[in-house]
Amino acid sequence: VLDSQYGMYVWPCAVVLAQYLWVHRRSLPGKRVLEIGAGVSLPGVVAAKCGAEVTLSDSEELPQCLQNCRRSCLMNDLPHVPVVGLTWGRVSPALLSLAPVDIILGSDVFFDPKDFEDILTTVYFLLEKNPHAQFWTTYQVRSADWSIEALLCKWKLKNIHIPLHSFSADKEHLASSSLPGRHTIEMMIISLATSDGT
């Protein structure tokens, strides 16, 4: 998909997160995975192909994105993967009725700083409901002017930086895709901080 609007394009971060999933594919069968801000759903599709029980989500206000999730599933022989509308920062019936999750995926969701707190509010809600779950996320460094560290602290979340070389994603080309290119992409795993602050 070559339209570079939100949710209409496979962004470089999606390829990197898909690589992480592929490298960890043996741990995915039976895992309950939710992709937020899924767009064209590359990471979620890879997780489903690797045996995870996947639910895809994007904003309920962006029906075209939800339709793209469904199309990606159909094109990849995954017609039974559920697609739900979840808007970051909003408690909705769809959010409240989600099945338990083990892994939350988000590629390039930290795109617009005005959305960061809404994203982390939603992630925190999901992690509180699923205390052993983790949020696996990749993001493109676009500005040195922003950081989510203060928000992580505010929401009692911790993050672990995952070096790209640890899963062979420190290349300009991944899986025959040139999308990572020369972009600076980072990966982290976010989880609940323990009561002692660690």
Side-chain angles (χ1 to χ4, degrees):
V1 178
L2 298 177
D3 184 343
S4 61
Q5 299 175 42
Y6 290 141
M8 311 289 184
Y9 181 76
V10 178
W11 293 91
C13 289
V15 178
V16 172
L17 187 54
Q19 172 76 6
Y20 187 80
L21 289 158
W22 180 249
V23 167
H24 293 88
R25 64 191 174 274
R26 286 179 186 81
S27 69
L28 293 174
K31 293 283 191 210
R32 300 160 302 182
V33 174
L34 169 68
E35 184 175 3
I36 63 170
V40 293
S41 315
L42 176 62
V45 164
V46 169
K49 288 286 193 178
C50 291
E53 298 171 21
V54 174
T55 298
L56 301 173
S57 72
D58 212 311
S59 174
E60 59 195 324
E61 298 169 357
L62 299 172
Q64 184 63 45
C65 288
L66 295 170
Q67 189 58 33
N68 284 340
C69 291
R70 291 182 188 98
R71 284 188 185 133
S72 291
C73 290
L74 292 174
M75 291 174 60
N76 287 284
D77 298 319
L78 298 167
H80 303 297
V81 170
V83 176
V84 298
L86 296 178
T87 301
W88 300 326
R90 182 180 301 160
V91 177
S92 65
L95 180 66
L96 294 171
S97 64
L98 279 176
V101 297
D102 301 304
I103 300 166
I104 305 160
L105 301 175
S107 67
D108 216 7
V109 294
F110 295 109
F111 178 85
D112 190 339
K114 74 174 177 50
D115 294 328
F116 290 2
E117 184 140 31
D118 285 342
I119 295 164
L120 289 176
T121 300
T122 299
V123 168
Y124 178 79
F125 176 84
L126 291 166
L127 293 176
E128 277 281 299
K129 278 182 66 173
N130 304 275
H132 300 291
Q134 296 179 327
F135 177 37
W136 297 0
T137 185
T138 51
Y139 61 96
Q140 184 174 328
V141 179
R142 294 181 171 90
S143 169
D145 294 340
W146 60 260
S147 169
I148 64 165
E149 296 299 323
L151 288 172
L152 290 172
C153 200
K154 175 181 177 180
W155 286 100
K156 298 180 178 67
L157 299 169
K158 64 179 179 179
N159 70 313
I160 299 168
H161 180 263
I162 307 296
L164 298 191
H165 67 82
S166 71
F167 59 102
S168 302
D170 56 341
K171 303 170 180 69
E172 290 185 27
H173 290 76
L174 289 178
S176 301
S177 171
S178 61
L179 279 175
R182 296 181 184 267
H183 301 289
T184 302
I185 297 172
E186 301 286 342
M187 177 164 179
M188 63 182 157
I189 294 178
I190 295 174
S191 57
L192 290 176
T194 59
S195 58
D196 63 0
T198 60

PDB file of all heavy atoms in Angstrom, residues 21-58:
ATOM      1  N   LEU A  21       9.164 -10.345  15.702  1.00  0.00           N
ATOM      2  CA  LEU A  21       8.199 -11.435  15.859  1.00  0.00           C
ATOM      3  C   LEU A  21       8.703 -12.706  15.180  1.00  0.00           C
ATOM      4  O   LEU A  21       8.600 -13.806  15.732  1.00  0.00           O
ATOM      5  CB  LEU A  21       6.839 -11.022  15.292  1.00  0.00           C
ATOM      6  CG  LEU A  21       6.108  -9.964  16.117  1.00  0.00           C
ATOM      7  CD1 LEU A  21       5.084  -9.224  15.275  1.00  0.00           C
ATOM      8  CD2 LEU A  21       5.454 -10.602  17.325  1.00  0.00           C
ATOM      9  N   TRP A  22       9.261 -12.546  13.995  1.00  0.00           N
ATOM     10  CA  TRP A  22       9.752 -13.712  13.254  1.00  0.00           C
ATOM     11  C   TRP A  22      10.889 -14.391  14.016  1.00  0.00           C
ATOM     12  O   TRP A  22      10.925 -15.618  14.144  1.00  0.00           O
ATOM     13  CB  TRP A  22      10.192 -13.295  11.860  1.00  0.00           C
ATOM     14  CG  TRP A  22      10.711 -14.452  11.067  1.00  0.00           C
ATOM     15  CD1 TRP A  22      11.996 -14.678  10.672  1.00  0.00           C
ATOM     16  CD2 TRP A  22       9.950 -15.568  10.567  1.00  0.00           C
ATOM     17  NE1 TRP A  22      12.085 -15.856   9.976  1.00  0.00           N
ATOM     18  CE2 TRP A  22      10.845 -16.427   9.897  1.00  0.00           C
ATOM     19  CE3 TRP A  22       8.601 -15.917  10.645  1.00  0.00           C
ATOM     20  CZ2 TRP A  22      10.430 -17.606   9.291  1.00  0.00           C
ATOM     21  CZ3 TRP A  22       8.192 -17.106  10.041  1.00  0.00           C
ATOM     22  CH2 TRP A  22       9.106 -17.932   9.374  1.00  0.00           C
ATOM     23  N   VAL A  23      11.815 -13.608  14.538  1.00  0.00           N
ATOM     24  CA  VAL A  23      12.937 -14.175  15.294  1.00  0.00           C
ATOM     25  C   VAL A  23      12.430 -14.906  16.543  1.00  0.00           C
ATOM     26  O   VAL A  23      13.003 -15.902  16.966  1.00  0.00           O
ATOM     27  CB  VAL A  23      13.966 -13.072  15.644  1.00  0.00           C
ATOM     28  CG1 VAL A  23      14.975 -13.535  16.681  1.00  0.00           C
ATOM     29  CG2 VAL A  23      14.687 -12.606  14.376  1.00  0.00           C
ATOM     30  N   HIS A  24      11.318 -14.428  17.114  1.00  0.00           N
ATOM     31  CA  HIS A  24      10.747 -15.043  18.324  1.00  0.00           C
ATOM     32  C   HIS A  24       9.525 -15.907  18.019  1.00  0.00           C
ATOM     33  O   HIS A  24       8.694 -16.165  18.896  1.00  0.00           O
ATOM     34  CB  HIS A  24      10.396 -13.945  19.343  1.00  0.00           C
ATOM     35  CG  HIS A  24      11.607 -13.261  19.872  1.00  0.00           C
ATOM     36  ND1 HIS A  24      12.170 -12.172  19.254  1.00  0.00           N
ATOM     37  CD2 HIS A  24      12.404 -13.552  20.925  1.00  0.00           C
ATOM     38  CE1 HIS A  24      13.257 -11.799  19.920  1.00  0.00           C
ATOM     39  NE2 HIS A  24      13.421 -12.629  20.937  1.00  0.00           N
ATOM     40  N   ARG A  25       9.426 -16.373  16.796  1.00  0.00           N
ATOM     41  CA  ARG A  25       8.232 -17.094  16.340  1.00  0.00           C
ATOM     42  C   ARG A  25       7.930 -18.362  17.145  1.00  0.00           C
ATOM     43  O   ARG A  25       6.783 -18.740  17.308  1.00  0.00           O
ATOM     44  CB  ARG A  25       8.319 -17.406  14.846  1.00  0.00           C
ATOM     45  CG  ARG A  25       9.434 -18.348  14.449  1.00  0.00           C
ATOM     46  CD  ARG A  25       9.601 -18.387  12.924  1.00  0.00           C
ATOM     47  NE  ARG A  25      10.753 -19.162  12.503  1.00  0.00           N
ATOM     48  CZ  ARG A  25      11.993 -18.680  12.412  1.00  0.00           C
ATOM     49  NH1 ARG A  25      12.237 -17.420  12.745  1.00  0.00           N
ATOM     50  NH2 ARG A  25      12.983 -19.447  11.998  1.00  0.00           N
ATOM     51  N   ARG A  26       8.951 -19.018  17.663  1.00  0.00           N
ATOM     52  CA  ARG A  26       8.709 -20.252  18.419  1.00  0.00           C
ATOM     53  C   ARG A  26       7.991 -19.984  19.746  1.00  0.00           C
ATOM     54  O   ARG A  26       7.399 -20.891  20.326  1.00  0.00           O
ATOM     55  CB  ARG A  26      10.022 -20.995  18.641  1.00  0.00           C
ATOM     56  CG  ARG A  26      10.523 -21.660  17.378  1.00  0.00           C
ATOM     57  CD  ARG A  26      11.839 -22.381  17.565  1.00  0.00           C
ATOM     58  NE  ARG A  26      12.352 -22.886  16.306  1.00  0.00           N
ATOM     59  CZ  ARG A  26      13.007 -22.168  15.403  1.00  0.00           C
ATOM     60  NH1 ARG A  26      13.224 -20.886  15.620  1.00  0.00           N
ATOM     61  NH2 ARG A  26      13.439 -22.710  14.285  1.00  0.00           N
ATOM     62  N   SER A  27       8.040 -18.751  20.210  1.00  0.00           N
ATOM     63  CA  SER A  27       7.355 -18.426  21.474  1.00  0.00           C
ATOM     64  C   SER A  27       5.920 -17.946  21.249  1.00  0.00           C
ATOM     65  O   SER A  27       5.199 -17.701  22.212  1.00  0.00           O
ATOM     66  CB  SER A  27       8.139 -17.346  22.229  1.00  0.00           C
ATOM     67  OG  SER A  27       8.059 -16.106  21.541  1.00  0.00           O
ATOM     68  N   LEU A  28       5.501 -17.808  19.992  1.00  0.00           N
ATOM     69  CA  LEU A  28       4.202 -17.191  19.699  1.00  0.00           C
ATOM     70  C   LEU A  28       2.999 -18.136  19.669  1.00  0.00           C
ATOM     71  O   LEU A  28       1.887 -17.685  19.981  1.00  0.00           O
ATOM     72  CB  LEU A  28       4.270 -16.416  18.383  1.00  0.00           C
ATOM     73  CG  LEU A  28       5.172 -15.176  18.410  1.00  0.00           C
ATOM     74  CD1 LEU A  28       5.278 -14.563  17.017  1.00  0.00           C
ATOM     75  CD2 LEU A  28       4.661 -14.159  19.419  1.00  0.00           C
ATOM     76  N   PRO A  29       3.146 -19.422  19.302  1.00  0.00           N
ATOM     77  CA  PRO A  29       1.936 -20.256  19.251  1.00  0.00           C
ATOM     78  C   PRO A  29       1.170 -20.238  20.579  1.00  0.00           C
ATOM     79  O   PRO A  29       1.738 -20.426  21.653  1.00  0.00           O
ATOM     80  CB  PRO A  29       2.481 -21.656  18.930  1.00  0.00           C
ATOM     81  CG  PRO A  29       3.726 -21.376  18.139  1.00  0.00           C
ATOM     82  CD  PRO A  29       4.330 -20.151  18.816  1.00  0.00           C
ATOM     83  N   GLY A  30      -0.132 -19.949  20.465  1.00  0.00           N
ATOM     84  CA  GLY A  30      -0.991 -19.906  21.642  1.00  0.00           C
ATOM     85  C   GLY A  30      -0.982 -18.589  22.397  1.00  0.00           C
ATOM     86  O   GLY A  30      -1.828 -18.369  23.256  1.00  0.00           O
ATOM     87  N   LYS A  31      -0.038 -17.687  22.101  1.00  0.00           N
ATOM     88  CA  LYS A  31      -0.015 -16.385  22.778  1.00  0.00           C
ATOM     89  C   LYS A  31      -1.193 -15.557  22.272  1.00  0.00           C
ATOM     90  O   LYS A  31      -1.570 -15.591  21.106  1.00  0.00           O
ATOM     91  CB  LYS A  31       1.282 -15.623  22.502  1.00  0.00           C
ATOM     92  CG  LYS A  31       2.500 -16.265  23.092  1.00  0.00           C
ATOM     93  CD  LYS A  31       2.589 -16.024  24.566  1.00  0.00           C
ATOM     94  CE  LYS A  31       3.954 -16.462  25.060  1.00  0.00           C
ATOM     95  NZ  LYS A  31       3.982 -16.913  26.399  1.00  0.00           N
ATOM     96  N   ARG A  32      -1.764 -14.772  23.191  1.00  0.00           N
ATOM     97  CA  ARG A  32      -2.878 -13.888  22.835  1.00  0.00           C
ATOM     98  C   ARG A  32      -2.291 -12.506  22.571  1.00  0.00           C
ATOM     99  O   ARG A  32      -1.722 -11.873  23.467  1.00  0.00           O
ATOM    100  CB  ARG A  32      -3.891 -13.863  23.967  1.00  0.00           C
ATOM    101  CG  ARG A  32      -4.468 -15.264  24.247  1.00  0.00           C
ATOM    102  CD  ARG A  32      -5.080 -15.388  25.600  1.00  0.00           C
ATOM    103  NE  ARG A  32      -4.109 -15.064  26.641  1.00  0.00           N
ATOM    104  CZ  ARG A  32      -4.346 -15.122  27.933  1.00  0.00           C
ATOM    105  NH1 ARG A  32      -5.520 -15.490  28.382  1.00  0.00           N
ATOM    106  NH2 ARG A  32      -3.415 -14.803  28.822  1.00  0.00           N
ATOM    107  N   VAL A  33      -2.418 -12.067  21.329  1.00  0.00           N
ATOM    108  CA  VAL A  33      -1.747 -10.855  20.861  1.00  0.00           C
ATOM    109  C   VAL A  33      -2.780  -9.841  20.389  1.00  0.00           C
ATOM    110  O   VAL A  33      -3.710 -10.184  19.657  1.00  0.00           O
ATOM    111  CB  VAL A  33      -0.764 -11.192  19.710  1.00  0.00           C
ATOM    112  CG1 VAL A  33      -0.160  -9.934  19.105  1.00  0.00           C
ATOM    113  CG2 VAL A  33       0.338 -12.124  20.205  1.00  0.00           C
ATOM    114  N   LEU A  34      -2.593  -8.595  20.797  1.00  0.00           N
ATOM    115  CA  LEU A  34      -3.420  -7.477  20.331  1.00  0.00           C
ATOM    116  C   LEU A  34      -2.499  -6.474  19.668  1.00  0.00           C
ATOM    117  O   LEU A  34      -1.531  -6.010  20.275  1.00  0.00           O
ATOM    118  CB  LEU A  34      -4.124  -6.805  21.519  1.00  0.00           C
ATOM    119  CG  LEU A  34      -4.816  -5.467  21.214  1.00  0.00           C
ATOM    120  CD1 LEU A  34      -6.028  -5.671  20.304  1.00  0.00           C
ATOM    121  CD2 LEU A  34      -5.231  -4.772  22.508  1.00  0.00           C
ATOM    122  N   GLU A  35      -2.780  -6.141  18.409  1.00  0.00           N
ATOM    123  CA  GLU A  35      -2.030  -5.057  17.763  1.00  0.00           C
ATOM    124  C   GLU A  35      -2.887  -3.793  17.808  1.00  0.00           C
ATOM    125  O   GLU A  35      -4.033  -3.803  17.375  1.00  0.00           O
ATOM    126  CB  GLU A  35      -1.657  -5.390  16.320  1.00  0.00           C
ATOM    127  CG  GLU A  35      -0.794  -4.290  15.707  1.00  0.00           C
ATOM    128  CD  GLU A  35      -0.261  -4.562  14.316  1.00  0.00           C
ATOM    129  OE1 GLU A  35      -0.594  -5.611  13.722  1.00  0.00           O
ATOM    130  OE2 GLU A  35       0.480  -3.695  13.814  1.00  0.00           O
ATOM    131  N   ILE A  36      -2.317  -2.721  18.366  1.00  0.00           N
ATOM    132  CA  ILE A  36      -3.014  -1.430  18.391  1.00  0.00           C
ATOM    133  C   ILE A  36      -2.466  -0.561  17.265  1.00  0.00           C
ATOM    134  O   ILE A  36      -1.311  -0.696  16.868  1.00  0.00           O
ATOM    135  CB  ILE A  36      -2.874  -0.721  19.756  1.00  0.00           C
ATOM    136  CG1 ILE A  36      -1.421  -0.373  20.081  1.00  0.00           C
ATOM    137  CG2 ILE A  36      -3.494  -1.573  20.860  1.00  0.00           C
ATOM    138  CD1 ILE A  36      -1.240   0.526  21.293  1.00  0.00           C
ATOM    139  N   GLY A  37      -3.316   0.327  16.744  1.00  0.00           N
ATOM    140  CA  GLY A  37      -2.892   1.179  15.638  1.00  0.00           C
ATOM    141  C   GLY A  37      -2.392   0.349  14.475  1.00  0.00           C
ATOM    142  O   GLY A  37      -1.400   0.676  13.828  1.00  0.00           O
ATOM    143  N   ALA A  38      -3.095  -0.742  14.181  1.00  0.00           N
ATOM    144  CA  ALA A  38      -2.571  -1.766  13.279  1.00  0.00           C
ATOM    145  C   ALA A  38      -2.418  -1.314  11.827  1.00  0.00           C
ATOM    146  O   ALA A  38      -1.526  -1.793  11.136  1.00  0.00           O
ATOM    147  CB  ALA A  38      -3.453  -3.015  13.345  1.00  0.00           C
ATOM    148  N   GLY A  39      -3.281  -0.425  11.343  1.00  0.00           N
ATOM    149  CA  GLY A  39      -3.152  -0.010   9.942  1.00  0.00           C
ATOM    150  C   GLY A  39      -3.234  -1.208   9.019  1.00  0.00           C
ATOM    151  O   GLY A  39      -4.193  -1.952   9.041  1.00  0.00           O
ATOM    152  N   VAL A  40      -2.184  -1.419   8.220  1.00  0.00           N
ATOM    153  CA  VAL A  40      -2.202  -2.563   7.302  1.00  0.00           C
ATOM    154  C   VAL A  40      -1.742  -3.857   7.970  1.00  0.00           C
ATOM    155  O   VAL A  40      -1.690  -4.899   7.338  1.00  0.00           O
ATOM    156  CB  VAL A  40      -1.399  -2.282   6.009  1.00  0.00           C
ATOM    157  CG1 VAL A  40      -2.085  -1.203   5.197  1.00  0.00           C
ATOM    158  CG2 VAL A  40       0.025  -1.901   6.316  1.00  0.00           C
ATOM    159  N   SER A  41      -1.393  -3.808   9.253  1.00  0.00           N
ATOM    160  CA  SER A  41      -1.306  -4.982  10.130  1.00  0.00           C
ATOM    161  C   SER A  41      -0.152  -5.944   9.901  1.00  0.00           C
ATOM    162  O   SER A  41      -0.265  -7.117  10.252  1.00  0.00           O
ATOM    163  CB  SER A  41      -2.609  -5.795  10.057  1.00  0.00           C
ATOM    164  OG  SER A  41      -3.732  -4.976  10.117  1.00  0.00           O
ATOM    165  N   LEU A  42       0.956  -5.507   9.356  1.00  0.00           N
ATOM    166  CA  LEU A  42       2.053  -6.440   9.093  1.00  0.00           C
ATOM    167  C   LEU A  42       2.482  -7.202  10.347  1.00  0.00           C
ATOM    168  O   LEU A  42       2.540  -8.440  10.320  1.00  0.00           O
ATOM    169  CB  LEU A  42       3.248  -5.721   8.453  1.00  0.00           C
ATOM    170  CG  LEU A  42       4.479  -6.593   8.218  1.00  0.00           C
ATOM    171  CD1 LEU A  42       4.186  -7.729   7.245  1.00  0.00           C
ATOM    172  CD2 LEU A  42       5.645  -5.745   7.721  1.00  0.00           C
ATOM    173  N   PRO A  43       2.783  -6.541  11.491  1.00  0.00           N
ATOM    174  CA  PRO A  43       3.195  -7.322  12.660  1.00  0.00           C
ATOM    175  C   PRO A  43       2.122  -8.311  13.136  1.00  0.00           C
ATOM    176  O   PRO A  43       2.437  -9.464  13.452  1.00  0.00           O
ATOM    177  CB  PRO A  43       3.482  -6.252  13.729  1.00  0.00           C
ATOM    178  CG  PRO A  43       3.835  -5.033  12.935  1.00  0.00           C
ATOM    179  CD  PRO A  43       2.919  -5.095  11.741  1.00  0.00           C
ATOM    180  N   GLY A  44       0.875  -7.886  13.166  1.00  0.00           N
ATOM    181  CA  GLY A  44      -0.193  -8.774  13.599  1.00  0.00           C
ATOM    182  C   GLY A  44      -0.381  -9.960  12.673  1.00  0.00           C
ATOM    183  O   GLY A  44      -0.614 -11.084  13.128  1.00  0.00           O
ATOM    184  N   VAL A  45      -0.261  -9.729  11.382  1.00  0.00           N
ATOM    185  CA  VAL A  45      -0.374 -10.814  10.405  1.00  0.00           C
ATOM    186  C   VAL A  45       0.765 -11.812  10.613  1.00  0.00           C
ATOM    187  O   VAL A  45       0.559 -13.028  10.614  1.00  0.00           O
ATOM    188  CB  VAL A  45      -0.403 -10.259   8.961  1.00  0.00           C
ATOM    189  CG1 VAL A  45      -0.136 -11.347   7.934  1.00  0.00           C
ATOM    190  CG2 VAL A  45      -1.744  -9.583   8.679  1.00  0.00           C
ATOM    191  N   VAL A  46       1.987 -11.318  10.807  1.00  0.00           N
ATOM    192  CA  VAL A  46       3.120 -12.216  11.047  1.00  0.00           C
ATOM    193  C   VAL A  46       2.883 -13.028  12.316  1.00  0.00           C
ATOM    194  O   VAL A  46       3.092 -14.247  12.337  1.00  0.00           O
ATOM    195  CB  VAL A  46       4.450 -11.428  11.119  1.00  0.00           C
ATOM    196  CG1 VAL A  46       5.585 -12.314  11.621  1.00  0.00           C
ATOM    197  CG2 VAL A  46       4.803 -10.844   9.752  1.00  0.00           C
ATOM    198  N   ALA A  47       2.418 -12.375  13.388  1.00  0.00           N
ATOM    199  CA  ALA A  47       2.142 -13.087  14.631  1.00  0.00           C
ATOM    200  C   ALA A  47       1.099 -14.182  14.414  1.00  0.00           C
ATOM    201  O   ALA A  47       1.246 -15.308  14.910  1.00  0.00           O
ATOM    202  CB  ALA A  47       1.698 -12.109  15.720  1.00  0.00           C
ATOM    203  N   ALA A  48       0.038 -13.864  13.669  1.00  0.00           N
ATOM    204  CA  ALA A  48      -1.011 -14.854  13.401  1.00  0.00           C
ATOM    205  C   ALA A  48      -0.459 -16.014  12.576  1.00  0.00           C
ATOM    206  O   ALA A  48      -0.764 -17.182  12.849  1.00  0.00           O
ATOM    207  CB  ALA A  48      -2.185 -14.189  12.689  1.00  0.00           C
ATOM    208  N   LYS A  49       0.359 -15.705  11.588  1.00  0.00           N
ATOM    209  CA  LYS A  49       0.963 -16.761  10.754  1.00  0.00           C
ATOM    210  C   LYS A  49       1.887 -17.649  11.582  1.00  0.00           C
ATOM    211  O   LYS A  49       2.111 -18.800  11.242  1.00  0.00           O
ATOM    212  CB  LYS A  49       1.741 -16.141   9.590  1.00  0.00           C
ATOM    213  CG  LYS A  49       0.871 -15.546   8.513  1.00  0.00           C
ATOM    214  CD  LYS A  49       0.236 -16.636   7.700  1.00  0.00           C
ATOM    215  CE  LYS A  49      -0.387 -16.125   6.424  1.00  0.00           C
ATOM    216  NZ  LYS A  49      -0.950 -17.221   5.620  1.00  0.00           N
ATOM    217  N   CYS A  50       2.422 -17.105  12.676  1.00  0.00           N
ATOM    218  CA  CYS A  50       3.316 -17.872  13.552  1.00  0.00           C
ATOM    219  C   CYS A  50       2.565 -18.612  14.653  1.00  0.00           C
ATOM    220  O   CYS A  50       3.181 -19.201  15.535  1.00  0.00           O
ATOM    221  CB  CYS A  50       4.370 -16.941  14.163  1.00  0.00           C
ATOM    222  SG  CYS A  50       5.558 -16.318  12.959  1.00  0.00           S
ATOM    223  N   GLY A  51       1.230 -18.564  14.625  1.00  0.00           N
ATOM    224  CA  GLY A  51       0.437 -19.351  15.561  1.00  0.00           C
ATOM    225  C   GLY A  51      -0.153 -18.609  16.739  1.00  0.00           C
ATOM    226  O   GLY A  51      -0.780 -19.223  17.613  1.00  0.00           O
ATOM    227  N   ALA A  52       0.025 -17.288  16.803  1.00  0.00           N
ATOM    228  CA  ALA A  52      -0.573 -16.517  17.891  1.00  0.00           C
ATOM    229  C   ALA A  52      -2.066 -16.326  17.646  1.00  0.00           C
ATOM    230  O   ALA A  52      -2.526 -16.348  16.503  1.00  0.00           O
ATOM    231  CB  ALA A  52       0.118 -15.163  18.019  1.00  0.00           C
ATOM    232  N   GLU A  53      -2.806 -16.122  18.723  1.00  0.00           N
ATOM    233  CA  GLU A  53      -4.231 -15.786  18.643  1.00  0.00           C
ATOM    234  C   GLU A  53      -4.309 -14.258  18.605  1.00  0.00           C
ATOM    235  O   GLU A  53      -4.179 -13.604  19.645  1.00  0.00           O
ATOM    236  CB  GLU A  53      -4.977 -16.326  19.850  1.00  0.00           C
ATOM    237  CG  GLU A  53      -4.939 -17.831  19.966  1.00  0.00           C
ATOM    238  CD  GLU A  53      -5.499 -18.325  21.292  1.00  0.00           C
ATOM    239  OE1 GLU A  53      -6.269 -17.587  21.941  1.00  0.00           O
ATOM    240  OE2 GLU A  53      -5.143 -19.445  21.667  1.00  0.00           O
ATOM    241  N   VAL A  54      -4.494 -13.696  17.427  1.00  0.00           N
ATOM    242  CA  VAL A  54      -4.331 -12.262  17.209  1.00  0.00           C
ATOM    243  C   VAL A  54      -5.675 -11.553  17.096  1.00  0.00           C
ATOM    244  O   VAL A  54      -6.617 -12.064  16.489  1.00  0.00           O
ATOM    245  CB  VAL A  54      -3.493 -12.010  15.930  1.00  0.00           C
ATOM    246  CG1 VAL A  54      -3.426 -10.528  15.581  1.00  0.00           C
ATOM    247  CG2 VAL A  54      -2.088 -12.582  16.107  1.00  0.00           C
ATOM    248  N   THR A  55      -5.729 -10.362  17.688  1.00  0.00           N
ATOM    249  CA  THR A  55      -6.811  -9.406  17.456  1.00  0.00           C
ATOM    250  C   THR A  55      -6.141  -8.142  16.931  1.00  0.00           C
ATOM    251  O   THR A  55      -5.148  -7.677  17.494  1.00  0.00           O
ATOM    252  CB  THR A  55      -7.578  -9.085  18.751  1.00  0.00           C
ATOM    253  OG1 THR A  55      -8.174 -10.291  19.246  1.00  0.00           O
ATOM    254  CG2 THR A  55      -8.657  -8.042  18.515  1.00  0.00           C
ATOM    255  N   LEU A  56      -6.675  -7.594  15.861  1.00  0.00           N
ATOM    256  CA  LEU A  56      -6.156  -6.354  15.287  1.00  0.00           C
ATOM    257  C   LEU A  56      -7.082  -5.210  15.676  1.00  0.00           C
ATOM    258  O   LEU A  56      -8.297  -5.382  15.766  1.00  0.00           O
ATOM    259  CB  LEU A  56      -6.090  -6.450  13.761  1.00  0.00           C
ATOM    260  CG  LEU A  56      -5.213  -7.573  13.200  1.00  0.00           C
ATOM    261  CD1 LEU A  56      -5.372  -7.651  11.688  1.00  0.00           C
ATOM    262  CD2 LEU A  56      -3.761  -7.365  13.580  1.00  0.00           C
ATOM    263  N   SER A  57      -6.485  -4.037  15.911  1.00  0.00           N
ATOM    264  CA  SER A  57      -7.311  -2.873  16.233  1.00  0.00           C
ATOM    265  C   SER A  57      -6.711  -1.621  15.635  1.00  0.00           C
ATOM    266  O   SER A  57      -5.505  -1.514  15.414  1.00  0.00           O
ATOM    267  CB  SER A  57      -7.457  -2.706  17.748  1.00  0.00           C
ATOM    268  OG  SER A  57      -6.247  -2.260  18.319  1.00  0.00           O
ATOM    269  N   ASP A  58      -7.593  -0.686  15.362  1.00  0.00           N
ATOM    270  CA  ASP A  58      -7.209   0.661  14.976  1.00  0.00           C
ATOM    271  C   ASP A  58      -8.341   1.561  15.439  1.00  0.00           C
ATOM    272  O   ASP A  58      -9.335   1.083  15.994  1.00  0.00           O
ATOM    273  CB  ASP A  58      -6.954   0.771  13.466  1.00  0.00           C
ATOM    274  CG  ASP A  58      -5.876   1.803  13.140  1.00  0.00           C
ATOM    275  OD1 ASP A  58      -5.968   2.935  13.674  1.00  0.00           O
ATOM    276  OD2 ASP A  58      -4.946   1.503  12.382  1.00  0.00           O
TER     277      ASP A  58
END
